[in-house]
Amino acid sequence: MPANESGPSVKKKGRRARLLVLVLVLALLAGLGYGAYWSVDTVRASFPQTTGSLKVPGLTGTVDVKRDEHGIPQLYADNDEDLFRAQGFVHAQDRFWEMDVRRHMTSGRLSEMFGSGQVETDAFLRTLGWRHVAQEEYDKKLSPETKKYLQAYADGVNAYLKGKSGKDLSVEHAALKLTDGYKPEQWTPVDSVAWLKAMAWDLRGNMQDEIDRSLMTNKLSQAQIDELYPPYPFDRNKPIVEGGTVSGGKYNPQGTPGSGSTGTGRGTGTGTTGTGTGTGAGSSTTPGAGSQATPNGATGATGLADNATAQGATVGLRTQLGSLAKTLDEIPAILGPNGSGIGSNSWVVSGQYTTTGKPLLANDPHLSPQLPSVWYQMGLHCRATSPQCQYDVAGYTFSGMPGVVIGHNADIAWGMTNLGADVTDLYLEQVRPEGYVYDNKVVPFTTREEEIKVAGGKSKKITVRTTNNGPLISDRSDELETVGSRAPVPSSAPDRGDGYAVALRWTALDPGKSMDAVFKLNRAKDFNSFRAAAADFEVPSQNLIYADNKGANGNIGYQAPGRIPIRNQGDGRLPAPGWDPKYAWKGGRDGNAGYIPQNEMPWELNPARGYIVTANQAVTESAPAGTGTGNSTGTGNSTGTGTGTGTGASAAAGKYPYVLTTDWGYGARSQRINDLIEAKTKDNGKISTDDMRAMQMDNSSEIAALLTPMLAKIQVSDPDVRSAQKLLEGWNYTQESDSAAAAYFNAVWRNILKLAFGDKMPKELRVEGSCMNVSEESTGPNDDLTKTVRECGTRGPDSAQPDGGDRWFEVVRRLVKDEKSQWWTATPKTVHDKPIKTRDELFARAMEDARWELTAKLGKDQSTWSWGRLHQLTLKNQTIGKEGPGFMQWLLNRGPWNVGGGEATVNATGWNASSGYGVTWVPSMRMVVNLGDLDKSRWINLTGASGHAYAGTYTDQTEMWAKGELLEWSFGKDAVDKSTKETLTLKP
């Protein structure tokens, strides 16, 4: 239930009452804030017409827009172009403010809307060049059919915009017009394509981990850093697919080893991919399966050219990467904070194990809470399918982009989770006035000039410089201008000159065909056409699950698509030396070969277990060719000082031969879903649609199950702390909103993380405002005369560490066995206390600190404690609702709601333990598709269809979302007609 309020009622009476309050507030504040009077008309002017008829230029026939009681539209047309033209029109009706902000962000033009405060953000986004890449995709990569649909969509948006401005578009546009005279421009097809770049940015993989590991070297040893990034627990948490490998240039999901998988060895050595035929046995120090190996010839510590270079580069990068991390925090994250929370749950169960006899498919992407939701529910239907009208599809769309992203058509259903592939690398670049050093030569930069227009101010000009590895993102920060200015480097490194710069290599900066994939998915008929569509889904790399209703039990499947680099050397875990060709991607701009072939990406169809779970865990267990002096037999790649030949990749028997990433999610959610499915299907049990919904709301905490028995045994003398400790007795480890035990445990967990890890982190990783006394950095001895200084954290609240995600579950799971690990040491609270030296002493201190923290936040009376009072969801308008005047935030934002769930639970209402308990990411929607009867499928959105504050469908789904309820999802014409409350006919 909401803490303060529920979402607005659909009933007109409630709407009128709220509007009356709104107009009184606006009348009061108008003279104070904007010098104009806002009336009810100002607020309601942008509400869309949803009945009757409207003329839309460009249509060749009529399009019916049928909305249910929640304002969810189902569109019916006679040809594809009319269908997408109408989609653009309807998206603009409900969400044009959201669309307008998105296109200004993706093109680095936020300053045109919001003024000088966005110039630095725009400069960084212009340096990345999303809009340029999107334009190149449109010009050179996308099919004529896709371009036709994009243009039709843009025409529909522009038909809606014609003659409208300010209050006719949204309350937010009215505010901008009052302050800056802003007027929206025409929509273009490239505006839609560029949105995929923003999506890819938020799902970019391990770039934050790469930065964090580098920054940790300031205070932690390599061994300590390795303890904080443990290997994936394959022995406990299942990967998505098991047993598959590559043979004959194709992935074999049945797990038959390829002929190049017989190499063995032990020893040390470094080398490159062999090009001759190898025989005999050799040796290798590559860690075993499941470890954080550094394959393909990388040195274990850094992935840099050599240890000396690595150490020097890391020291030089420390301050600069801290600045970069701060810059990344300031870039608008449309989908949510990049890190352990960005993910999703999806799973599909074969009809063999369902009550319907056909597959059930569930999906709930975990993204940042936004108002309106990032998703827009919609159906796109041809009145009769034909070559001229190919679509009959429904699901979740992105406003500003045609097609359906996640959902089902009449034949198949599909879902997505973030694969988490490592598709970004940071490169040190040795710069000179005339260019940058590469392969012992000075190469000229590729440059372009950009002009940033500023609302109410003077335009700014910037120069974007690009190397063969990518744009110099260090140019966008004063602190990054002289990267490595203090870094000691060996003689093998080039002269530092004016310092090292930092370039970004990222797959999304190469033009691709992901927009083609959306339309192919929407009209796919079977698993083969589904896989063909997935082959074009290059960025962002997603786990795609599949179901259809063909045959006795239907079919279920999985495909890992995406453009994933093969590195010549290094593993992408830390910045690499850009001047050394050995560290370039094989798909690099210097002309080497490409990415992992799509035919060799993991997939499976109808696995024997009868279900597939993807929740950001490891896709499969890899055993890539490692470093070594030995030779491997067969037809795969062999690294080492010996010889070997290959066409394709070689791996240990039954293992996948490529590195997708070494920074997987650790599988807490996925294994819980696996366990729930196995428990439900035990002894011939069957799973229903409601069972799938219940699984989505599972609140069980893996870390609570591990630690609570230990916490219960801690000897506590303080009676208040002891009474809190008793809350944990008999607790079942579920994090319901009304649970006092969950509140106390999560507070203890947060304080364990702070004491054991947070206080030992460098300031660049600690949350801003977190201050402590530390010894002043000095080259002198650390003795009694060493000065202490006050050092405060600089990291934003969404990305500070330790965040408490399932990586930290695994860290603590491993360390908790060693009661005297150095991680369990902590400074005493006062000068009269003894230093903390053991696990149980630290746990006792965390229990005490948690008790007093909750006393301050929730009161001394434990009977009033609840997890939901700590763990609240507030929905904020993504622009003015966050940064605008206080009264505008009050007008546009909603909440808070007290919610259950938590970090790394299936009901993933995430929170960052470094910064507090508030919800930072959520299941942004939930769906369960019933392939036995599509009209019995269910869905829900985080907010509502409308982006207009005070419209009846602004947040009408939020209360149901918070309770775990799902709406009926009409698909067939009869079901849609039955649920229709309003019909608008669009005419030529």
Side-chain angles (χ1 to χ4, degrees):
M1 292 289 290
N4 296 333
E5 61 173 289
S6 297
S9 169
V10 178
K11 296 180 180 179
K12 292 183 178 179
K13 181 178 178 181
R15 220 162 42 216
R16 284 197 297 270
R18 250 180 299 279
L19 286 169
L20 180 60
V21 173
L22 172 62
V23 71
L24 290 174
V25 172
L26 290 172
L28 175 65
L29 294 173
L32 299 175
Y34 290 100
Y37 179 81
W38 281 11
S39 65
V40 171
D41 176 66
T42 303
V43 178
R44 302 190 68 172
S46 60
F47 288 8
Q49 179 179 335
T50 56
T51 60
S53 63
L54 286 172
K55 289 187 177 181
V56 176
L59 287 177
T60 60
T62 61
V63 179
D64 292 325
V65 182
K66 300 182 178 185
R67 293 178 184 260
D68 66 10
E69 64 177 315
H70 298 284
I72 299 170
Q74 304 284 339
L75 279 54
Y76 289 84
D78 291 320
N79 62 73
D80 293 341
E81 288 177 83
D82 278 358
L83 193 59
F84 294 118
R85 186 174 284 106
Q87 185 183 20
F89 186 91
V90 173
H91 272 166
Q93 278 189 309
D94 282 334
R95 299 284 190 93
F96 185 68
W97 170 255
E98 179 184 41
M99 294 165 62
D100 204 14
V101 172
R102 283 178 179 175
R103 67 165 165 180
H104 279 79
M105 191 202 76
T106 57
S107 57
R109 296 171 54 202
L110 290 169
S111 300
E112 295 179 22
M113 298 183 78
F114 304 111
S116 59
Q118 297 299 319
V119 168
E120 293 300 322
T121 295
D122 282 346
F124 187 81
L125 294 170
R126 297 281 187 101
T127 299
L128 292 178
W130 293 351
R131 175 75 183 200
H132 289 277
V133 180
Q135 185 70 57
E136 193 173 355
E137 284 185 359
Y138 184 79
D139 292 341
K140 300 178 181 180
K141 291 288 186 178
L142 298 181
S143 71
E145 183 179 54
T146 294
K147 291 182 181 181
K148 182 174 66 175
Y149 297 158
L150 288 165
Q151 186 60 60
Y153 181 90
D155 291 344
V157 176
N158 293 329
Y160 178 75
L161 293 180
K162 188 175 181 180
K164 294 182 176 68
S165 64
K167 69 177 184 179
D168 299 325
L169 295 171
S170 71
V171 169
E172 297 94 332
H173 280 105
L176 282 185
K177 188 173 182 181
L178 286 170
T179 55
D180 294 314
Y182 173 80
K183 184 177 181 180
E185 61 189 35
Q186 293 282 287
W187 193 266
T188 73
V190 179
D191 290 332
S192 298
V193 178
W195 162 240
L196 287 172
K197 300 303 169 187
M199 182 180 172
W201 176 254
D202 283 354
L203 302 175
R204 62 191 177 271
N206 76 335
M207 181 173 167
Q208 193 68 61
D209 288 323
E210 189 174 339
I211 292 171
D212 289 355
R213 279 189 287 261
S214 297
L215 293 171
M216 286 179 183
T217 58
N218 182 29
K219 297 189 72 171
L220 303 177
S221 69
Q222 187 60 48
Q224 290 173 317
I225 294 171
D226 288 344
E227 286 184 304
L228 301 186
Y229 289 88
Y232 184 89
F234 285 99
D235 59 333
R236 192 175 66 254
N237 296 342
K238 295 178 182 178
I240 297 172
V241 297
E242 299 177 84
T245 188
V246 173
S247 176
K250 293 183 179 181
Y251 182 80
N252 180 353
Q254 281 70 44
T256 302
S259 59
S261 59
T262 59
T264 59
R266 304 178 58 81
T268 61
T270 59
T272 59
T273 301
T275 56
T277 301
T279 58
S283 57
S284 170
T285 57
T286 304
S291 66
Q292 299 286 11
T294 53
N296 305 329
T299 53
T302 67
L304 288 163
D306 54 48
N307 282 332
T309 306
Q311 294 163 1
T314 300
V315 172
L317 279 175
R318 198 169 65 220
T319 301
Q320 293 77 5
L321 287 177
S323 177
L324 174 57
K326 185 174 179 62
T327 300
L328 296 178
D329 278 340
E330 294 169 355
I331 301 303
I334 289 182
L335 300 183
N338 181 269
S340 64
I342 280 285
S344 303
N345 300 323
S346 68
W347 66 95
V348 60
V349 182
S350 167
Q352 181 181 357
Y353 298 106
T354 68
T355 58
T356 67
K358 298 291 184 180
L360 293 171
L361 185 150
N363 197 187
D364 55 287
H366 306 156
L367 307 172
S368 70
Q370 299 182 27
L371 184 58
S373 166
V374 70
W375 301 108
Y376 184 92
Q377 295 151 290
M378 179 178 271
L380 301 173
H381 307 277
C382 291
R383 293 189 180 100
T385 56
S386 68
Q388 290 72 41
C389 202
Q390 307 172 74
Y391 296 88
D392 188 16
V393 61
Y396 294 86
T397 71
F398 288 137
S399 59
M401 196 179 93
V404 171
V405 178
I406 295 174
H408 71 82
N409 58 32
D411 297 294
I412 76 163
W414 69 95
M416 296 184 188
T417 63
N418 192 26
L419 193 150
D422 185 359
V423 296
T424 58
D425 276 347
L426 297 175
Y427 283 90
L428 268 63
E429 303 285 2
Q430 205 280 328
V431 299
R432 295 183 180 175
E434 65 274 22
Y436 62 97
V437 175
Y438 182 71
D439 197 16
N440 297 316
K441 301 180 182 66
V442 177
V443 182
F445 291 110
T446 299
T447 63
R448 68 175 188 272
E449 301 294 323
E450 297 271 357
E451 182 180 8
I452 300 173
K453 296 180 180 179
V454 182
K458 186 178 179 181
S459 297
K460 306 290 184 181
K461 291 185 178 181
I462 65 170
T463 300
V464 177
R465 301 188 296 173
T466 302
T467 73
N468 66 313
N469 290 312
L472 288 184
I473 55 176
S474 54
D475 283 350
R476 300 282 67 88
S477 166
D478 291 340
E479 290 182 353
L480 281 168
E481 281 185 359
T482 56
V483 170
S485 60
R486 294 183 293 130
V489 294
S491 58
S492 59
D495 179 75
R496 70 166 54 89
D498 292 328
Y500 295 137
V502 179
L504 172 66
R505 183 77 171 98
W506 177 33
T507 56
L509 297 185
D510 295 335
K513 299 184 292 183
S514 293
M515 197 70 238
D516 284 346
V518 172
F519 296 113
K520 289 182 178 180
L521 273 175
N522 285 194
R523 58 177 187 262
K525 301 293 185 183
D526 52 31
F527 190 61
N528 287 337
S529 52
F530 165 80
R531 290 192 67 209
D536 285 339
F537 209 106
E538 297 166 328
V539 291
S541 184
Q542 299 289 287
N543 294 305
L544 297 179
I545 61 168
Y546 167 92
D548 67 38
N549 56 12
K550 298 174 177 63
N553 301 122
N555 297 290
I556 64 173
Y558 165 80
Q559 176 69 61
R563 182 189 289 156
I564 301 174
I566 302 173
R567 292 168 175 85
N568 282 310
Q569 191 163 319
D571 63 359
R573 301 184 75 227
L574 286 171
W579 56 82
D580 189 340
K582 292 194 299 292
Y583 291 86
W585 288 4
K586 288 189 177 181
R589 293 182 178 87
D590 52 1
N592 288 332
Y595 301 93
I596 299 175
Q598 185 62 33
N599 283 343
E600 298 183 16
M601 291 289 287
W603 64 275
E604 64 181 352
L605 178 66
N606 296 326
R609 63 184 175 277
Y611 62 90
I612 301 169
V613 176
T614 82
N616 317 114
Q617 79 271 38
V619 171
T620 187
E621 190 169 3
S622 298
T627 62
T629 58
N631 309 312
S632 83
T633 63
T635 58
N637 290 337
S638 164
T639 61
T641 57
T643 59
T645 327
T647 59
S650 153
K655 302 298 192 298
Y656 187 64
Y658 296 109
V659 176
L660 300 175
T661 185
T662 57
D663 288 305
W664 301 111
Y666 282 78
R669 284 181 287 109
S670 62
Q671 192 56 44
R672 176 61 177 172
I673 297 168
N674 275 300
D675 292 344
L676 290 171
I677 293 172
E678 290 177 3
K680 191 67 181 179
T681 56
K682 186 179 180 181
D683 299 325
N684 298 315
K686 302 289 185 179
I687 293 176
S688 68
T689 299
D690 194 61
D691 290 331
M692 300 283 276
R693 181 204 63 80
M695 291 178 191
Q696 289 178 324
M697 295 302 295
D698 183 81
N699 288 326
S700 178
S701 169
E702 178 188 282
I703 193 64
L706 173 69
L707 295 184
T708 298
M710 298 180 188
L711 296 174
K713 296 177 182 178
I714 301 294
Q715 296 297 312
V716 175
S717 57
D718 187 301
D720 289 318
V721 178
R722 173 62 186 140
S723 66
Q725 184 185 36
K726 287 182 178 179
L727 291 173
L728 302 178
E729 295 176 3
W731 179 44
N732 64 355
Y733 318 130
T734 60
Q735 301 167 98
E736 304 298 335
S737 175
D738 61 357
S739 171
Y744 182 59
F745 172 79
N746 282 316
V748 174
W749 171 236
R750 179 174 185 246
N751 280 279
I752 287 173
L753 291 169
K754 179 181 183 297
L755 292 168
F757 309 105
D759 290 347
K760 301 176 179 68
M761 292 285 172
K763 64 180 181 180
E764 294 89 352
L765 271 69
R766 299 201 312 272
V767 68
E768 54 191 2
S770 171
C771 301
M772 56 193 300
N773 294 324
V774 299
S775 298
E776 185 177 36
E777 286 192 29
S778 170
T779 57
N782 185 11
D783 54 26
D784 290 343
L785 298 182
T786 300
K787 296 180 180 179
T788 60
V789 295
R790 193 70 171 164
E791 181 186 82
C792 296
T794 62
R795 182 63 66 84
D798 287 343
S799 58
Q801 294 296 331
D803 62 14
D806 64 356
R807 172 165 67 87
W808 293 100
F809 290 10
E810 191 63 22
V811 169
V812 171
R813 180 184 295 277
R814 288 166 174 266
L815 292 175
V816 79
K817 301 170 186 176
D818 182 0
E819 296 184 21
K820 295 184 179 181
S821 166
Q822 287 298 304
W823 291 108
W824 303 130
T825 62
T827 56
K829 185 182 295 187
T830 71
V831 294
H832 303 293
D833 296 325
K834 295 181 179 179
I836 293 171
K837 296 182 179 180
T838 69
R839 179 199 67 196
D840 286 355
E841 289 174 358
L842 187 139
F843 282 9
R845 166 75 178 277
M847 293 172 70
E848 179 183 350
D849 290 353
R851 175 53 165 111
W852 302 122
E853 181 185 5
L854 294 198
T855 298
K857 291 180 180 293
L858 303 179
K860 187 173 182 179
D861 184 357
Q862 293 173 190
S863 67
T864 68
W865 289 4
S866 71
W867 174 227
R869 286 181 62 199
L870 281 177
H871 191 53
Q872 294 186 329
L873 167 67
T874 299
L875 296 174
K876 295 183 179 181
N877 178 287
Q878 289 301 286
T879 49
I880 295 177
K882 286 188 173 181
E883 304 295 337
F887 84 91
M888 284 296 294
Q889 295 185 38
W890 180 83
L891 295 176
L892 297 173
N893 299 341
R894 297 291 182 271
W897 280 264
N898 297 344
V899 297
E903 181 66 27
T905 61
V906 180
N907 182 22
T909 55
W911 54 287
N912 187 309
S914 288
S915 54
Y917 303 97
V919 176
T920 55
W921 48 76
V922 294
S924 55
M925 61 80 158
R926 299 187 186 101
M927 75 173 192
V928 179
V929 181
N930 182 337
L931 275 297
D933 185 345
L934 292 172
D935 290 325
K936 292 183 179 179
S937 300
R938 298 291 183 265
W939 61 352
I940 198 76
N941 205 351
L942 175 64
T943 62
S946 181
H948 300 289
Y950 296 93
T953 56
Y954 190 46
T955 54
D956 65 314
Q957 297 185 50
T958 307
E959 182 98 0
M960 293 175 283
W961 173 93
K963 294 177 180 178
E965 297 173 0
L966 299 176
L967 300 175
E968 293 184 358
W969 182 353
S970 299
F971 179 72
K973 188 177 185 304
D974 290 344
V976 169
D977 287 344
K978 186 177 179 180
S979 64
T980 295
K981 302 298 181 184
E982 297 177 319
T983 299
L984 173 68
T985 300
L986 305 180
K987 297 181 177 180

